Structure formats: structure tokens, C-alpha cells
Amino acid sequence: MASETLHISRQKGSDFCQENKIHDPIEQVDCQNSCSSFCQCSKRSASDGSTFCFRERCSGQKLVEDENDGPGKINPIDSNVLSEPTIRHVENADENACSHCENESCKACGAMQPQDYRRTHKGNSANSLQDLFLQDNYDDGEDDDSDWEPVSHLLIKKWFCYNCTMPNFDDVFHCDVCGEHRESQVRGYDTFLKHIGEKVQVSVDSDTICSFPDTASSSKSCTAFGFDERMLLHSEVEVKPHPHPERPDRLRAIASSLVAAGIFPGKCSLIAAREISQEELMMVHTLDHIEAVEETKNMLSSYFTLDTYANEHSACAARLAAGLCADLACLIICGHSKNGFALVRPPGHHAGVKQAMGFCLHNNAAVAALAARRAGAKKVLIVDWDVHHGNGTQEIFDGNNSVLYISLHRHEGGRFYPGTGAADEVGINGAEGYSVNIPWSRGGVGDNDYFFAFQHVVLPIASEFAPDIIIISAGFDAARGDPLGCCDVTPAGYAQMADMLANISEGKLLVILEGGYNLHSISSSATAVVKVLVGEKPSYDLSNVMPSKAGLRTVMEVLKIQLKYWPVLESHYTALQAQWGPLSWNNRHQPKKRRHLIGPIWWQWGSKRFVYELLYGRPHLRDLKRIRRQQ
């Protein structure tokens, strides 16, 4: 079954290469290996050396010979644009050559002239794109196209921003989306690697974790830090029209920021990386899924979904990420470290019981939660503040009442990727209330809405649950400036949310990197959160948090649904109804905002919930029951 999964992945990947091969329905054109001009039907040169029409289709280029341009001029053009044959009138040609007479079809190859083609298809109501092309271009009855030039001059040159991957016109030097200069690069990563080389690594099974010689505090008071450079080898091999947002520079940017802030290595302790074992992974994923990921080692490039790539190093990177998260959770539960930060990729919260999707291969947060349980934690809280719903994490723990999952994410009625995470998705099979979804109804959500949801939903439920450890699926794609999330959370906002959670679990907090695709936003936000882990206090004033109308309605909806499972929320619901009641439900006269599309179109196509269910269906209870028995 694993091989079948990868077969589909390879087929999807190959479609990108095959879709540009165009077959001409009017005349058969053989691809030529040379750049000489031949008649396409008889393959004979004109007797007087006059020019012939010629198209090179092997490489998506067109060879046009013109008396003004000289022989063999190559004009690169898009093969998707040129779907029609180029027809040139040849004078004084050999009678056996293809002359394409003005009013007749070719005697040698039978190719029709535009007039013949139009007469043949006259009266056909179901005109093809080619019919329309010919009608639009030849209705004037003129065959002389000596003034025709390739459309390559219509192609707009562009460059992609290194910081946010958004396209820009070639004549601008700063990104129109984030303002970054076109020549910018990540600086400071070499310094980070130098510190990595000076480390003293100790296995996680030892009594103490690795620490740097200049670390004054003991390991038990240090923030454990998980990183391995081999995770940077996971990258997209195929060249696409738009750079993939999940790229190795995400880790480089965060690492450089931590060094610049003086946090690493002085205030963190680096742990030794290891690859997760198959037995540990089988507590989260099915064997078929694990084998499918492992099989990518034997392929240069493969795809699980249109946006979830793998190369020959991806399986190792995914195992390293999961292994680091599991070990960090064990260190925190066993008291060897007060908290931890996992600087890992590929991300994981979309990876479910049996599928990889949404850039994710293995579910790192789920692996860490079960590792904490094995180390002695009775209750684990996972807070997911990535802008996308962690459908994989919810699926894995949907019927498990020892792991509470709370997610704050854009939802928009199921129109935002991955389409899951509605407020009424509360858990199944006796674990109702252990999935808490706070689904924002729009983009642009900022600090105040998140704080408001924390104060009235997240913190009351978390305090009542009283977890032994809190794991944060820390996606920073809700940060201001992110090209996919389009929300407005600031670094100070992330720091404040981390501080709120740290006060619940006696500081036992593990932060695992998920999404985030603006390098400036992700690095500054992650650095602000790690500052909280090492002891700095945020200075946000929470005394007068005012939510937006849409945010208030979302919180009221969640409270109303979760009341039956968490009675502690009743006082919050009653107080908010008394204060905001009429406002919280009256949306009749509020104008609807136009949704803006940013990024490749398949990001929006993939946001439909029915696509997810069509590809993967609903979770199989058999797989869930087997995994829960292992837990």
C-alpha cells in the first residue's frame, strides 16, 4: 500500500512536466534535432533557399527565420501560449516541397490553410479554442504575416522575494508585499553554525543534557534547544513557477535571529539529535504511512499532495524532527530542563493517522505528546496557534481524553485550508470536549482577538484540565506580513500568549515550530517566544482588551458549544452576554469584505474541505482504535 501511495505521488509530480506538451490537431510536426529549416512534410529544403515555417517543440522554444532577423534566431516563449501552428507563405519553392498555397491545402502533406479550415468547420456551434483563434486572426482574409513577431515580448519578467516568496516586477528593487530588497539574504547563520560546532553533546538518556562551557546556570534551569542541520536538506527539487514557501531558509532565519539576540548559545542548551524509531512512529501513524515516507529515500523527487513534496533526504529530516520533539518532551517531564524549543522542519500538525499533507510528513506534536505520556505525564495539553487548523493532530487524538487539543485558526466556514476545525468539532467516542476549536471567520485577526480568546476560552479550560505539560504547535503564519496567513499577530502578541500558557503548567512548556513563511515575521516572532522561555517577561497590557466584532462572535459561539463539556465557562459566557449580547450576534448590516487571493491558485483550491475528504475520507475508526490501544 505504501508503494501505491508513492506511485500516485510520482504521477502527480510528473503531471507538471507533461502538461506543457502540446499536440497540434491540424498538422503533424516532428521535433527536429537540428536548427536548419526543413519542410515539415517532405523534409526538403526550398530550392531557392527561401524561408520555411519551422517550430521547435522539444524545448518549448520556437525557431523563426526571418529575412530581417537572420537565420537561426531562437525566441524563448511559453509553450502554454503557443498552441497554434505558425504558417508561412513560401514563394519559389520546389514543387515537391510544402508550398502551402494561398487558396489550397498543401499537396504534399494535406495541411489546410486557415480559410479551408474555417470553411470545413463552418456552422459548428461547438467551436474549439483553435477555431476561435483562427477566426480572430484571419477574418481579415490576409495571409501575409510578415509583420508577425513572437509573443515573447509580452512575457513579464519578475523576481520572487527572498523574504516572503511573493512575485514582483523586474523593474522594482523592493518587494511590493513586504518591502524587502531583492538582493537580501539571511545573515548570521554562519555564526550560529560556529556555536553549534563548539557544543558538548550528551545523549538524552544521560542525567544531564548538553550545555555550553559558558553556561552559568545548571541544565535544569536551562531552555533545551533542538536542532540538526540535516533538516535543511529537505527541499523541493522540481522548479515551479512559484517558490515553495516551506523552505530551509526558515530555520536559518530563526537561528540567526537567536544568535543576534544573545539567546543562543548563552541561554539555551543544545540536545543531541536522533531519528525517531519506527515503533514510536507507529503509536501515531499507520505502518503504510511510515513506509510511504521512508520510500522517498529512493527517489530524487516525489509528492504526497500537490503542495507536500519530498526528496531523498526528507525521510531523514522528518525522523530527526520527530525524534527531537520526543526527546525534548521527555527532558521536560523528567525535570532535566524547565522548557524547550524545537527548531524543526518539516512541520507536522497536518499529518494525520495515515496521510501526509499540508507540507507535513510526521506529526511532531503528537509524537511529543505520547513521549511525554510515556515519561510520566498523565495529561497533555496541545495548543495550536498556527493560522491553519491542525487537522492531523485533532484526528490522532479525537477520541483520547488524556490529550486536550485547542486550536485557534482561520476557518471562514470551511473555505480556508484545510477546511476542518469548525467550532462544533468537539471530539468523539467519549472524548467530547477534548477538541476545542476557535475558528476565525475572516483574515486580519490580530493580538486583541487572540488575547480575548485566551482569556475567555483557552485559559479557563486549560486551568480546569491542569496538564502536566503544554505543547505549543507554534506556527507563525498568523504573524503580521505572512503571505499565506494574512493575519496581524505581532511578536509581542506571541510572547504574551506563551507567557500565559507557561503560568498554567508550572513552566513546563515545549514550543514546536510549525508554519510561518515570511522570514522576518517568523524569526522575530520565534525569538520573542524563546525570550519568554529563558525568563524574560512580556510587557503587554491586558487590562483592557477589546476584540473585533467578528472575534467576539467567534468566542461567543465557541463558549456556547463548549459549555456542556466545561462548566467553568458558564460565568464567562454569562458575563459576555450581559456586556456584549446585542453586538455579538448582530451581523446583519455588516458589509462583507472581498477576499484577496495571494499566492499560487492551488493554495486556494486546496482550502476546500471537500477536497480533503475526497482525497482522504473520514478517519477510519479501526486505525484510531488500534493506535489508542497502543497509547
Coordinates of all heavy atoms in Angstrom, one line a residue, residues 58-131:
C58 N 10.6 20.6 -28.9 CA 11.2 19.8 -27.9 C 11.4 20.5 -26.6 O 11.3 20.0 -25.5 CB 12.5 19.2 -28.4 SG 12.3 18.1 -29.8
S59 N 11.9 21.8 -26.7 CA 12.3 22.5 -25.5 C 11.4 23.7 -25.2 O 11.8 24.6 -24.5 CB 13.7 23.0 -25.7 OG 13.8 23.8 -26.8
G60 N 10.2 23.8 -25.8 CA 9.4 24.9 -25.6 C 9.9 26.2 -26.2 O 9.5 27.3 -25.8
Q61 N 10.7 26.1 -27.3 CA 11.2 27.2 -28.0 C 10.8 27.2 -29.4 O 10.4 26.2 -30.0 CB 12.8 27.2 -28.0 CG 13.3 27.4 -26.6 CD 14.8 27.3 -26.6 OE1 15.4 26.7 -27.5 NE2 15.5 27.9 -25.6
K62 N 10.8 28.4 -30.0 CA 10.3 28.5 -31.4 C 11.5 29.0 -32.2 O 12.0 30.1 -31.9 CB 9.1 29.3 -31.5 CG 8.5 29.4 -32.9 CD 7.2 30.1 -32.9 CE 6.7 30.2 -34.3 NZ 5.4 30.9 -34.3
L63 N 11.8 28.4 -33.3 CA 12.8 28.9 -34.2 C 12.1 29.6 -35.4 O 11.4 29.0 -36.1 CB 13.6 27.7 -34.8 CG 14.8 28.1 -35.7 CD1 15.8 28.9 -35.0 CD2 15.4 26.8 -36.3
V64 N 12.3 30.8 -35.5 CA 11.7 31.6 -36.6 C 12.8 32.2 -37.4 O 13.6 33.0 -36.9 CB 10.8 32.8 -36.0 CG1 10.2 33.6 -37.1 CG2 9.7 32.1 -35.1
E65 N 12.8 31.9 -38.7 CA 13.7 32.5 -39.6 C 13.1 33.7 -40.3 O 12.0 33.5 -40.9 CB 14.3 31.5 -40.6 CG 15.1 30.4 -39.9 CD 15.8 29.5 -40.9 OE1 16.1 30.1 -42.0 OE2 15.9 28.3 -40.7
D66 N 13.6 34.8 -40.3 CA 13.1 35.9 -41.0 C 14.2 36.7 -41.7 O 15.3 36.7 -41.2 CB 12.3 36.8 -40.0 CG 11.5 37.9 -40.7 OD1 10.4 37.5 -41.2 OD2 12.0 39.0 -40.8
E67 N 13.9 37.2 -42.8 CA 14.9 37.9 -43.6 C 15.5 39.1 -42.8 O 16.7 39.5 -43.0 CB 14.3 38.4 -44.9 CG 13.1 39.3 -44.7 CD 12.1 39.2 -45.8 OE1 12.2 38.2 -46.5 OE2 11.3 40.1 -46.0
N68 N 14.8 39.6 -41.9 CA 15.3 40.7 -41.1 C 16.1 40.3 -39.9 O 16.9 41.0 -39.4 CB 14.2 41.6 -40.7 CG 13.4 42.3 -41.8 OD1 14.0 42.6 -42.8 ND2 12.1 42.4 -41.7
D69 N 15.8 39.1 -39.4 CA 16.4 38.7 -38.2 C 17.6 37.8 -38.4 O 18.5 37.6 -37.5 CB 15.4 37.8 -37.3 CG 14.3 38.7 -36.8 OD1 14.5 39.9 -36.8 OD2 13.2 38.1 -36.6
G70 N 17.7 37.2 -39.6 CA 18.8 36.3 -39.9 C 18.5 34.9 -39.5 O 17.5 34.7 -38.7
P71 N 19.2 33.9 -40.0 CA 18.9 32.5 -39.7 C 19.1 32.1 -38.3 O 20.1 32.5 -37.6 CB 19.8 31.8 -40.7 CG 21.0 32.7 -40.8 CD 20.5 34.1 -40.8
G72 N 18.3 31.2 -37.8 CA 18.5 30.5 -36.6 C 18.3 31.4 -35.3 O 18.9 31.1 -34.3
K73 N 17.5 32.4 -35.4 CA 17.2 33.2 -34.2 C 16.2 32.5 -33.3 O 15.1 32.1 -33.7 CB 16.6 34.5 -34.6 CG 16.3 35.4 -33.4 CD 15.7 36.8 -33.8 CE 15.4 37.6 -32.6 NZ 14.8 38.9 -32.9
I74 N 16.6 32.2 -32.0 CA 15.8 31.5 -31.1 C 15.1 32.5 -30.2 O 15.7 33.3 -29.5 CB 16.6 30.5 -30.3 CG1 17.3 29.5 -31.2 CG2 15.8 29.8 -29.2 CD1 18.2 28.5 -30.5
N75 N 13.8 32.4 -30.1 CA 13.0 33.2 -29.2 C 12.3 32.4 -28.2 O 11.4 31.6 -28.5 CB 11.9 34.0 -30.0 CG 12.5 34.8 -31.1 OD1 12.9 36.0 -30.8 ND2 12.6 34.3 -32.3
P76 N 12.8 32.4 -27.0 CA 12.1 31.6 -25.9 C 10.7 32.1 -25.6 O 10.5 33.3 -25.4 CB 13.0 31.8 -24.7 CG 14.3 32.4 -25.2 CD 13.9 33.1 -26.4
I77 N 9.8 31.2 -25.6 CA 8.4 31.6 -25.3 C 7.8 30.5 -24.5 O 8.3 29.4 -24.5 CB 7.6 31.9 -26.6 CG1 7.6 30.7 -27.5 CG2 8.1 33.1 -27.3 CD1 6.8 30.9 -28.8
D78 N 6.7 30.8 -23.9 CA 5.9 29.8 -23.1 C 5.2 28.9 -24.0 O 4.4 29.2 -24.9 CB 4.9 30.6 -22.2 CG 4.3 29.7 -21.2 OD1 4.5 28.5 -21.3 OD2 3.5 30.2 -20.4
S79 N 5.4 27.6 -23.8 CA 4.8 26.5 -24.6 C 3.3 26.5 -24.4 O 2.6 26.0 -25.2 CB 5.4 25.2 -24.3 OG 5.3 24.9 -22.9
N80 N 2.8 27.0 -23.2 CA 1.4 27.0 -23.0 C 0.7 28.1 -23.8 O -0.5 28.0 -24.2 CB 1.1 27.4 -21.5 CG 1.4 26.2 -20.6 OD1 1.2 25.0 -21.0 ND2 1.9 26.4 -19.4
V81 N 1.5 29.1 -24.2 CA 0.9 30.2 -25.0 C 0.7 29.8 -26.5 O -0.2 30.0 -27.1 CB 1.7 31.5 -24.9 CG1 1.1 32.6 -25.8 CG2 1.7 32.0 -23.5
L82 N 1.8 29.1 -27.0 CA 1.8 28.7 -28.4 C 1.1 27.4 -28.5 O 1.7 26.3 -28.4 CB 3.2 28.6 -28.9 CG 3.8 30.0 -29.3 CD1 5.2 29.8 -29.8 CD2 3.0 30.7 -30.3
S83 N -0.2 27.4 -28.7 CA -0.9 26.1 -29.0 C -1.3 26.0 -30.5 O -1.9 25.1 -30.9 CB -2.1 26.0 -28.1 OG -3.0 27.1 -28.4
E84 N -1.0 27.1 -31.3 CA -1.4 27.1 -32.7 C -0.2 27.0 -33.6 O 0.9 27.5 -33.2 CB -2.1 28.4 -33.0 CG -3.3 28.7 -32.1 CD -4.3 27.5 -32.1 OE1 -4.4 26.9 -33.1 OE2 -4.9 27.3 -31.1
P85 N -0.3 26.4 -34.8 CA 0.8 26.3 -35.7 C 1.1 27.6 -36.3 O 0.3 28.5 -36.5 CB 0.3 25.3 -36.7 CG -1.2 25.5 -36.7 CD -1.5 25.8 -35.3
T86 N 2.4 27.8 -36.6 CA 2.8 29.0 -37.4 C 2.8 28.7 -38.9 O 3.5 27.7 -39.3 CB 4.2 29.5 -36.9 OG1 4.1 29.7 -35.5 CG2 4.6 30.7 -37.7
I87 N 2.1 29.5 -39.7 CA 2.0 29.2 -41.1 C 2.7 30.3 -41.9 O 2.4 31.5 -41.7 CB 0.6 29.0 -41.6 CG1 -0.1 27.9 -40.8 CG2 0.5 28.8 -43.1 CD1 -1.5 27.7 -41.1
R88 N 3.7 30.0 -42.7 CA 4.4 31.0 -43.5 C 4.2 30.7 -45.0 O 4.3 29.5 -45.4 CB 5.9 31.0 -43.1 CG 6.1 31.7 -41.8 CD 7.6 32.0 -41.6 NE 7.8 32.7 -40.4 CZ 7.8 34.0 -40.2 NH1 7.6 34.8 -41.2 NH2 8.1 34.5 -39.0
H89 N 4.0 31.7 -45.8 CA 3.9 31.6 -47.2 C 5.3 31.5 -47.9 O 6.2 32.3 -47.6 CB 3.1 32.8 -47.8 CG 2.9 32.7 -49.2 ND1 2.1 31.7 -49.8 CD2 3.3 33.4 -50.3 CE1 2.0 31.8 -51.1 NE2 2.8 32.9 -51.4
V90 N 5.4 30.5 -48.7 CA 6.7 30.2 -49.3 C 6.6 30.5 -50.8 O 5.8 29.9 -51.4 CB 7.2 28.8 -49.0 CG1 8.6 28.5 -49.7 CG2 7.3 28.5 -47.5
E91 N 7.5 31.3 -51.3 CA 7.5 31.6 -52.7 C 8.7 30.9 -53.4 O 9.7 30.8 -52.8 CB 7.5 33.1 -52.9 CG 6.3 33.8 -52.3 CD 6.4 35.3 -52.5 OE1 7.5 35.8 -53.0 OE2 5.5 36.0 -52.2
N92 N 8.5 30.5 -54.7 CA 9.6 29.9 -55.5 C 10.1 28.7 -54.8 O 11.3 28.4 -54.8 CB 10.7 30.9 -55.7 CG 10.2 32.2 -56.4 OD1 9.3 32.1 -57.3 ND2 10.7 33.3 -56.0
A93 N 9.3 27.9 -54.2 CA 9.8 26.7 -53.6 C 9.7 25.5 -54.6 O 9.1 25.6 -55.6 CB 8.9 26.4 -52.4
D94 N 10.4 24.5 -54.2 CA 10.4 23.3 -55.0 C 8.9 22.8 -55.1 O 8.2 22.8 -54.1 CB 11.3 22.2 -54.4 CG 11.5 21.0 -55.3 OD1 10.5 20.6 -55.9 OD2 12.6 20.5 -55.4
E95 N 8.5 22.3 -56.3 CA 7.1 21.9 -56.4 C 6.8 20.7 -55.5 O 5.6 20.5 -55.2 CB 6.8 21.5 -57.9 CG 7.7 20.4 -58.4 CD 7.4 20.0 -59.8 OE1 6.5 20.7 -60.4 OE2 8.0 19.1 -60.3
N96 N 7.8 19.9 -55.1 CA 7.5 18.8 -54.2 C 7.6 19.2 -52.8 O 7.3 18.4 -51.9 CB 8.6 17.7 -54.5 CG 8.4 17.1 -55.8 OD1 7.3 16.9 -56.3 ND2 9.6 16.7 -56.5
A97 N 8.0 20.4 -52.5 CA 8.1 20.9 -51.2 C 6.7 21.4 -50.8 O 5.8 21.6 -51.6 CB 9.1 22.0 -51.0
C98 N 6.5 21.6 -49.5 CA 5.3 22.1 -49.0 C 5.2 23.6 -49.3 O 5.9 24.4 -48.7 CB 5.2 21.8 -47.5 SG 3.7 22.6 -46.7
S99 N 4.3 24.0 -50.2 CA 4.2 25.4 -50.6 C 3.1 26.1 -49.8 O 3.1 27.3 -49.8 CB 4.0 25.5 -52.1 OG 2.8 24.9 -52.4
H100 N 2.2 25.4 -49.2 CA 1.0 26.0 -48.5 C 0.4 27.1 -49.4 O 0.5 28.3 -49.0 CB 1.5 26.5 -47.2 CG 1.7 25.4 -46.2 ND1 0.7 24.5 -45.8 CD2 2.8 25.1 -45.5 CE1 1.2 23.7 -44.9 NE2 2.5 24.1 -44.7
C101 N -0.1 26.7 -50.5 CA -0.6 27.7 -51.5 C -1.7 28.5 -50.8 O -2.3 28.1 -49.8 CB -1.2 27.0 -52.7 SG 0.0 26.0 -53.6
E102 N -1.9 29.7 -51.4 CA -2.7 30.7 -50.7 C -4.2 30.2 -50.6 O -4.8 30.5 -49.6 CB -2.6 32.0 -51.5 CG -3.3 33.1 -50.8 CD -3.0 34.4 -51.4 OE1 -1.9 34.6 -52.0 OE2 -3.9 35.3 -51.4
N103 N -4.7 29.5 -51.6 CA -6.1 29.1 -51.6 C -6.3 27.6 -51.6 O -7.4 27.1 -51.8 CB -6.8 29.7 -52.8 CG -6.8 31.2 -52.8 OD1 -7.0 31.8 -51.7 ND2 -6.5 31.8 -53.9
E104 N -5.2 26.8 -51.4 CA -5.4 25.4 -51.5 C -4.7 24.8 -50.3 O -3.8 25.4 -49.6 CB -4.7 24.8 -52.7 CG -5.4 25.3 -54.0 CD -4.7 24.7 -55.2 OE1 -3.8 23.9 -55.0 OE2 -5.0 25.1 -56.4
S105 N -5.0 23.6 -50.0 CA -4.3 22.8 -49.0 C -3.0 22.3 -49.5 O -2.9 22.2 -50.8 CB -5.2 21.7 -48.4 OG -5.5 20.8 -49.5
C106 N -2.1 22.0 -48.7 CA -0.8 21.5 -49.1 C -0.9 20.2 -49.9 O -1.5 19.2 -49.4 CB 0.1 21.3 -47.9 SG 1.7 20.6 -48.3
K107 N -0.3 20.1 -51.1 CA -0.4 18.9 -51.8 C 0.4 17.8 -51.3 O 0.1 16.6 -51.5 CB 0.0 19.2 -53.3 CG -0.9 20.2 -54.0 CD -0.4 20.5 -55.4 CE -1.3 21.6 -56.0 NZ -0.8 22.0 -57.4
A108 N 1.5 18.2 -50.6 CA 2.4 17.1 -50.1 C 1.9 16.6 -48.8 O 2.0 15.4 -48.5 CB 3.8 17.7 -50.0
C109 N 1.5 17.5 -47.9 CA 1.1 17.0 -46.5 C -0.3 17.1 -46.2 O -0.8 16.6 -45.2 CB 2.0 17.7 -45.5 SG 1.6 19.5 -45.3
G110 N -1.1 17.8 -47.0 CA -2.5 17.9 -46.8 C -2.9 18.9 -45.7 O -4.0 18.9 -45.2
A111 N -2.0 19.8 -45.3 CA -2.3 20.7 -44.2 C -3.2 21.8 -44.8 O -3.0 22.3 -45.9 CB -1.0 21.4 -43.7
M112 N -4.3 22.1 -44.1 CA -5.2 23.1 -44.6 C -4.8 24.5 -44.3 O -4.1 24.8 -43.3 CB -6.6 22.9 -43.8 CG -7.3 21.6 -44.2 SD -8.9 21.6 -43.4 CE -9.4 20.0 -43.8
Q113 N -5.1 25.4 -45.2 CA -4.9 26.8 -45.0 C -6.0 27.3 -44.0 O -7.1 26.6 -43.9 CB -5.0 27.6 -46.3 CG -3.7 27.6 -47.0 CD -2.6 28.4 -46.3 OE1 -2.2 28.0 -45.2 NE2 -2.2 29.5 -46.9
P114 N -5.9 28.4 -43.4 CA -6.9 28.9 -42.4 C -8.2 29.0 -43.1 O -9.2 28.7 -42.4 CB -6.3 30.3 -42.0 CG -4.8 30.1 -42.2 CD -4.7 29.2 -43.4
Q115 N -8.3 29.5 -44.4 CA -9.6 29.6 -45.0 C -10.3 28.3 -45.1 O -11.5 28.1 -44.9 CB -9.5 30.3 -46.4 CG -9.0 31.7 -46.3 CD -7.4 31.8 -46.3 OE1 -6.8 30.9 -46.0 NE2 -6.9 33.0 -46.6
D116 N -9.5 27.2 -45.5 CA -10.1 25.9 -45.7 C -10.6 25.4 -44.4 O -11.6 24.7 -44.3 CB -9.0 25.0 -46.3 CG -8.5 25.5 -47.6 OD1 -9.4 26.0 -48.4 OD2 -7.3 25.3 -47.9
Y117 N -9.7 25.6 -43.3 CA -10.1 25.1 -42.0 C -11.4 25.8 -41.5 O -12.3 25.1 -41.0 CB -9.0 25.4 -41.0 CG -9.2 24.9 -39.6 CD1 -9.0 23.6 -39.3 CD2 -9.8 25.8 -38.7 CE1 -9.3 23.1 -38.0 CE2 -10.0 25.3 -37.4 CZ -9.8 24.0 -37.1 OH -10.0 23.5 -35.8
R118 N -11.5 27.1 -41.8 CA -12.7 27.8 -41.4 C -13.9 27.3 -42.1 O -15.0 27.2 -41.6 CB -12.5 29.3 -41.6 CG -13.6 30.1 -40.9 CD -13.2 31.6 -40.9 NE -12.9 32.2 -42.2 CZ -11.7 32.5 -42.6 NH1 -10.7 32.3 -41.8 NH2 -11.5 33.1 -43.8
R119 N -13.8 27.1 -43.5 CA -14.9 26.6 -44.3 C -15.3 25.2 -43.8 O -16.5 24.9 -43.8 CB -14.5 26.6 -45.8 CG -14.5 28.0 -46.4 CD -14.5 27.8 -47.9 NE -13.4 27.1 -48.4 CZ -12.2 27.7 -48.8 NH1 -12.1 29.0 -48.7 NH2 -11.2 26.9 -49.3
T120 N -14.3 24.4 -43.5 CA -14.6 23.0 -43.1 C -15.5 23.0 -41.8 O -16.3 22.1 -41.6 CB -13.3 22.2 -42.9 OG1 -12.6 22.2 -44.1 CG2 -13.6 20.7 -42.5
H121 N -15.1 23.9 -40.9 CA -15.8 23.9 -39.6 C -16.9 24.9 -39.5 O -17.5 25.2 -38.4 CB -14.8 24.2 -38.5 CG -13.8 23.1 -38.3 ND1 -12.8 22.9 -39.2 CD2 -13.7 22.2 -37.3 CE1 -12.0 21.9 -38.8 NE2 -12.6 21.4 -37.7
K122 N -17.3 25.5 -40.6 CA -18.4 26.5 -40.6 C -19.7 25.8 -40.2 O -20.1 24.8 -40.7 CB -18.5 27.1 -42.0 CG -19.5 28.3 -42.1 CD -19.5 28.9 -43.4 CE -20.5 30.1 -43.5 NZ -20.5 30.7 -44.8
G123 N -20.4 26.6 -39.3 CA -21.7 26.0 -38.9 C -21.6 25.2 -37.7 O -22.6 24.8 -37.1
N124 N -20.4 24.9 -37.2 CA -20.3 24.0 -36.0 C -20.4 25.0 -34.8 O -19.5 25.8 -34.6 CB -18.9 23.3 -36.0 CG -18.7 22.4 -34.9 OD1 -19.7 22.2 -34.1 ND2 -17.6 21.7 -34.8
S125 N -21.4 24.8 -34.0 CA -21.7 25.6 -32.9 C -20.7 25.4 -31.7 O -20.4 26.3 -30.9 CB -23.1 25.4 -32.3 OG -23.3 24.1 -31.9
A126 N -20.1 24.2 -31.6 CA -19.2 23.9 -30.5 C -17.8 24.2 -31.0 O -16.9 23.4 -31.2 CB -19.3 22.4 -30.2
N127 N -17.5 25.5 -31.1 CA -16.2 25.9 -31.6 C -15.1 25.6 -30.5 O -15.3 25.9 -29.4 CB -16.2 27.4 -31.9 CG -17.0 27.7 -33.2 OD1 -17.0 26.9 -34.0 ND2 -17.5 28.9 -33.2
S128 N -14.0 25.1 -31.0 CA -12.9 24.9 -30.1 C -12.1 26.2 -29.9 O -12.3 27.2 -30.6 CB -12.0 23.8 -30.6 OG -11.4 24.2 -31.8
L129 N -11.2 26.2 -29.0 CA -10.3 27.3 -28.8 C -9.5 27.6 -30.1 O -9.2 28.8 -30.4 CB -9.3 27.1 -27.6 CG -10.0 27.0 -26.2 CD1 -9.0 26.7 -25.2 CD2 -10.7 28.4 -25.9
Q130 N -9.2 26.5 -30.8 CA -8.4 26.7 -32.0 C -9.3 27.4 -33.1 O -8.8 28.2 -33.9 CB -7.9 25.4 -32.5 CG -6.8 25.6 -33.6 CD -5.9 24.3 -33.7 OE1 -6.3 23.3 -33.2 NE2 -4.8 24.5 -34.2
D131 N -10.6 27.0 -33.1 CA -11.5 27.7 -34.1 C -11.5 29.2 -33.8 O -11.4 30.0 -34.7 CB -12.9 27.1 -33.9 CG -12.9 25.7 -34.3 OD1 -12.1 25.2 -35.0 OD2 -13.9 25.0 -33.8

